[in-house]
Amino acid sequence: MPRGTLITPDGTRIAYRTDLPPRAPAGPPVLLLDGPTGHADDWDHLTARLCEDGHRVVRYEARRDERATEEMRGAAATSDAAALLRHLGLAPAVLVARSEAGRTARQLAGAAPHLILSLVLLDEPPGACRNDDAHDTRPTLALRADQATPHDPHTLHEAIGEFLRRTGATRKGAAHA
């Protein structure tokens, strides 16, 4: 699992790790995003399964700045994810976002659609999709905690795999799910 550090335009250091498939990548790259209380290690089981399916998987620890306003944290999270995708040459990628990170994924898809292939939104909090959020036409899968969570990697992996197959997310211009 190669590790690296990205220094963002505002000077913040972001530690990331890349997990590679055992053979040549057969699917699109996947960027895993977590909410403010999550950790990159929370994705270990799902990462292993996605790699087995032929995906390059990247995860990182989101910055945690308690002094920043919600709007500032959101803008920084979106900028960080975009910078990481560009730095690693992963575009377009599938974003898998849990909890509050769903807003980051949707904002990034609206602000930089060329970086995003599709979105998988897990267990977003109620009211997370507000009218002022950027709207996008990327194929999107939204799962609630009672359907699948990263704590149930088998079910989650199957749901994501089926979504990518059904939408043809490896093709440009895939239909909205």
Side-chain angles (χ1 to χ4, degrees):
M1 157 179 13
R3 295 176 185 260
T5 302
L6 168 68
I7 300 176
T8 66
D10 70 1
T12 301
R13 291 181 175 273
I14 306 243
Y16 64 88
R17 54 188 102 165
T18 303
D19 293 270
L20 302 171
R23 56 199 174 285
V30 175
L31 177 63
L32 301 174
L33 302 169
D34 213 336
T37 61
H39 298 281
D41 294 341
D42 295 344
W43 299 101
D44 284 350
H45 294 290
L46 179 61
T47 296
R49 290 172 181 266
L50 290 170
C51 286
E52 288 171 13
D53 288 348
H55 299 277
R56 178 179 175 189
V57 180
V58 176
R59 50 199 163 137
Y60 66 101
E61 297 291 337
R63 61 170 94 184
R64 291 168 172 80
D65 185 354
E66 300 303 320
R67 298 168 299 176
T69 66
E70 182 180 333
E71 186 176 321
M72 290 170 54
R73 282 192 303 270
T78 301
S79 175
D80 292 348
L84 188 57
L85 288 171
R86 288 184 183 111
H87 173 73
L88 295 173
L90 291 181
V94 173
L95 296 187
V96 177
R98 181 173 55 184
S99 185
E100 299 288 336
R103 174 168 284 154
T104 300
R106 285 185 277 102
Q107 288 176 340
L108 181 55
H114 61 284
L115 296 177
I116 311 305
L117 187 60
S118 60
L119 304 174
V120 177
L121 307 175
L122 309 173
D123 200 20
E124 281 190 293
C129 186
R130 296 183 356 200
N131 291 336
D132 61 343
D133 285 339
H135 291 79
D136 187 63
T137 59
R138 299 287 167 236
T140 302
L141 172 66
L143 296 172
R144 297 182 320 269
D146 59 339
Q147 292 172 308
T149 68
H151 302 291
D152 181 4
H154 177 73
T155 304
L156 180 58
H157 168 254
E158 286 188 358
I160 291 172
E162 178 59 26
F163 166 70
L164 293 176
R165 284 186 295 278
R166 185 170 42 96
T167 61
T170 56
R171 295 190 320 264
K172 208 170 189 169
H176 190 78

PDB file of all heavy atoms in Angstrom, residues 132-145:
ATOM      1  N   ASP A 132     -29.022  24.559  -2.087  1.00  0.00           N
ATOM      2  CA  ASP A 132     -27.879  25.338  -2.539  1.00  0.00           C
ATOM      3  C   ASP A 132     -26.682  24.477  -2.929  1.00  0.00           C
ATOM      4  O   ASP A 132     -25.670  24.983  -3.370  1.00  0.00           O
ATOM      5  CB  ASP A 132     -27.470  26.372  -1.481  1.00  0.00           C
ATOM      6  CG  ASP A 132     -27.060  25.740  -0.163  1.00  0.00           C
ATOM      7  OD1 ASP A 132     -27.385  24.561   0.074  1.00  0.00           O
ATOM      8  OD2 ASP A 132     -26.419  26.450   0.624  1.00  0.00           O
ATOM      9  N   ASP A 133     -26.796  23.171  -2.759  1.00  0.00           N
ATOM     10  CA  ASP A 133     -25.718  22.287  -3.204  1.00  0.00           C
ATOM     11  C   ASP A 133     -25.683  22.236  -4.722  1.00  0.00           C
ATOM     12  O   ASP A 133     -26.701  22.346  -5.392  1.00  0.00           O
ATOM     13  CB  ASP A 133     -25.929  20.851  -2.689  1.00  0.00           C
ATOM     14  CG  ASP A 133     -25.596  20.735  -1.217  1.00  0.00           C
ATOM     15  OD1 ASP A 133     -24.854  21.586  -0.709  1.00  0.00           O
ATOM     16  OD2 ASP A 133     -26.093  19.795  -0.584  1.00  0.00           O
ATOM     17  N   ALA A 134     -24.490  22.018  -5.261  1.00  0.00           N
ATOM     18  CA  ALA A 134     -24.352  21.879  -6.712  1.00  0.00           C
ATOM     19  C   ALA A 134     -25.041  20.601  -7.162  1.00  0.00           C
ATOM     20  O   ALA A 134     -24.933  19.563  -6.519  1.00  0.00           O
ATOM     21  CB  ALA A 134     -22.877  21.844  -7.078  1.00  0.00           C
ATOM     22  N   HIS A 135     -25.777  20.682  -8.237  1.00  0.00           N
ATOM     23  CA  HIS A 135     -26.435  19.501  -8.804  1.00  0.00           C
ATOM     24  C   HIS A 135     -25.608  18.992  -9.967  1.00  0.00           C
ATOM     25  O   HIS A 135     -24.963  19.749 -10.669  1.00  0.00           O
ATOM     26  CB  HIS A 135     -27.849  19.848  -9.258  1.00  0.00           C
ATOM     27  CG  HIS A 135     -28.760  20.137  -8.111  1.00  0.00           C
ATOM     28  ND1 HIS A 135     -28.771  21.341  -7.451  1.00  0.00           N
ATOM     29  CD2 HIS A 135     -29.655  19.348  -7.476  1.00  0.00           C
ATOM     30  CE1 HIS A 135     -29.651  21.295  -6.479  1.00  0.00           C
ATOM     31  NE2 HIS A 135     -30.200  20.105  -6.466  1.00  0.00           N
ATOM     32  N   ASP A 136     -25.643  17.716 -10.186  1.00  0.00           N
ATOM     33  CA  ASP A 136     -24.836  17.092 -11.219  1.00  0.00           C
ATOM     34  C   ASP A 136     -25.616  15.926 -11.797  1.00  0.00           C
ATOM     35  O   ASP A 136     -26.542  15.422 -11.182  1.00  0.00           O
ATOM     36  CB  ASP A 136     -23.510  16.615 -10.606  1.00  0.00           C
ATOM     37  CG  ASP A 136     -22.553  16.116 -11.661  1.00  0.00           C
ATOM     38  OD1 ASP A 136     -22.142  16.916 -12.518  1.00  0.00           O
ATOM     39  OD2 ASP A 136     -22.242  14.923 -11.652  1.00  0.00           O
ATOM     40  N   THR A 137     -25.224  15.496 -12.968  1.00  0.00           N
ATOM     41  CA  THR A 137     -25.938  14.403 -13.630  1.00  0.00           C
ATOM     42  C   THR A 137     -25.152  13.093 -13.594  1.00  0.00           C
ATOM     43  O   THR A 137     -25.462  12.179 -14.334  1.00  0.00           O
ATOM     44  CB  THR A 137     -26.232  14.775 -15.099  1.00  0.00           C
ATOM     45  OG1 THR A 137     -24.983  15.036 -15.755  1.00  0.00           O
ATOM     46  CG2 THR A 137     -27.132  15.989 -15.173  1.00  0.00           C
ATOM     47  N   ARG A 138     -24.159  12.989 -12.743  1.00  0.00           N
ATOM     48  CA  ARG A 138     -23.381  11.755 -12.648  1.00  0.00           C
ATOM     49  C   ARG A 138     -24.259  10.617 -12.138  1.00  0.00           C
ATOM     50  O   ARG A 138     -25.151  10.835 -11.332  1.00  0.00           O
ATOM     51  CB  ARG A 138     -22.213  11.925 -11.689  1.00  0.00           C
ATOM     52  CG  ARG A 138     -21.237  12.975 -12.081  1.00  0.00           C
ATOM     53  CD  ARG A 138     -20.406  12.526 -13.259  1.00  0.00           C
ATOM     54  NE  ARG A 138     -19.721  13.677 -13.777  1.00  0.00           N
ATOM     55  CZ  ARG A 138     -19.804  14.089 -15.028  1.00  0.00           C
ATOM     56  NH1 ARG A 138     -20.530  13.456 -15.891  1.00  0.00           N
ATOM     57  NH2 ARG A 138     -19.151  15.132 -15.444  1.00  0.00           N
ATOM     58  N   PRO A 139     -23.985   9.374 -12.569  1.00  0.00           N
ATOM     59  CA  PRO A 139     -24.694   8.235 -11.976  1.00  0.00           C
ATOM     60  C   PRO A 139     -24.441   8.233 -10.473  1.00  0.00           C
ATOM     61  O   PRO A 139     -23.306   8.399 -10.032  1.00  0.00           O
ATOM     62  CB  PRO A 139     -24.042   7.021 -12.642  1.00  0.00           C
ATOM     63  CG  PRO A 139     -23.440   7.540 -13.897  1.00  0.00           C
ATOM     64  CD  PRO A 139     -23.038   8.959 -13.599  1.00  0.00           C
ATOM     65  N   THR A 140     -25.508   8.087  -9.689  1.00  0.00           N
ATOM     66  CA  THR A 140     -25.399   8.179  -8.239  1.00  0.00           C
ATOM     67  C   THR A 140     -26.145   7.033  -7.573  1.00  0.00           C
ATOM     68  O   THR A 140     -27.268   6.731  -7.937  1.00  0.00           O
ATOM     69  CB  THR A 140     -25.971   9.529  -7.739  1.00  0.00           C
ATOM     70  OG1 THR A 140     -25.257  10.587  -8.372  1.00  0.00           O
ATOM     71  CG2 THR A 140     -25.855   9.667  -6.231  1.00  0.00           C
ATOM     72  N   LEU A 141     -25.503   6.428  -6.582  1.00  0.00           N
ATOM     73  CA  LEU A 141     -26.121   5.404  -5.759  1.00  0.00           C
ATOM     74  C   LEU A 141     -26.147   5.944  -4.333  1.00  0.00           C
ATOM     75  O   LEU A 141     -25.115   6.358  -3.810  1.00  0.00           O
ATOM     76  CB  LEU A 141     -25.298   4.113  -5.803  1.00  0.00           C
ATOM     77  CG  LEU A 141     -25.711   3.003  -4.843  1.00  0.00           C
ATOM     78  CD1 LEU A 141     -27.088   2.460  -5.201  1.00  0.00           C
ATOM     79  CD2 LEU A 141     -24.676   1.889  -4.853  1.00  0.00           C
ATOM     80  N   ALA A 142     -27.307   6.005  -3.718  1.00  0.00           N
ATOM     81  CA  ALA A 142     -27.422   6.454  -2.334  1.00  0.00           C
ATOM     82  C   ALA A 142     -27.926   5.296  -1.484  1.00  0.00           C
ATOM     83  O   ALA A 142     -28.947   4.694  -1.794  1.00  0.00           O
ATOM     84  CB  ALA A 142     -28.380   7.643  -2.238  1.00  0.00           C
ATOM     85  N   LEU A 143     -27.191   4.958  -0.437  1.00  0.00           N
ATOM     86  CA  LEU A 143     -27.560   3.866   0.465  1.00  0.00           C
ATOM     87  C   LEU A 143     -27.692   4.392   1.879  1.00  0.00           C
ATOM     88  O   LEU A 143     -26.856   5.161   2.345  1.00  0.00           O
ATOM     89  CB  LEU A 143     -26.491   2.764   0.447  1.00  0.00           C
ATOM     90  CG  LEU A 143     -26.298   2.027  -0.868  1.00  0.00           C
ATOM     91  CD1 LEU A 143     -25.090   1.116  -0.778  1.00  0.00           C
ATOM     92  CD2 LEU A 143     -27.537   1.243  -1.230  1.00  0.00           C
ATOM     93  N   ARG A 144     -28.745   3.976   2.560  1.00  0.00           N
ATOM     94  CA  ARG A 144     -28.930   4.314   3.971  1.00  0.00           C
ATOM     95  C   ARG A 144     -28.224   3.267   4.830  1.00  0.00           C
ATOM     96  O   ARG A 144     -27.911   2.184   4.377  1.00  0.00           O
ATOM     97  CB  ARG A 144     -30.418   4.342   4.313  1.00  0.00           C
ATOM     98  CG  ARG A 144     -31.205   5.402   3.573  1.00  0.00           C
ATOM     99  CD  ARG A 144     -32.667   5.382   4.008  1.00  0.00           C
ATOM    100  NE  ARG A 144     -33.220   4.060   4.206  1.00  0.00           N
ATOM    101  CZ  ARG A 144     -33.838   3.338   3.262  1.00  0.00           C
ATOM    102  NH1 ARG A 144     -33.975   3.826   2.047  1.00  0.00           N
ATOM    103  NH2 ARG A 144     -34.315   2.143   3.525  1.00  0.00           N
ATOM    104  N   ALA A 145     -28.035   3.595   6.093  1.00  0.00           N
ATOM    105  CA  ALA A 145     -27.335   2.689   7.001  1.00  0.00           C
ATOM    106  C   ALA A 145     -28.022   1.337   7.101  1.00  0.00           C
ATOM    107  O   ALA A 145     -27.371   0.318   7.275  1.00  0.00           O
ATOM    108  CB  ALA A 145     -27.223   3.313   8.381  1.00  0.00           C
TER     109      ALA A 145
END
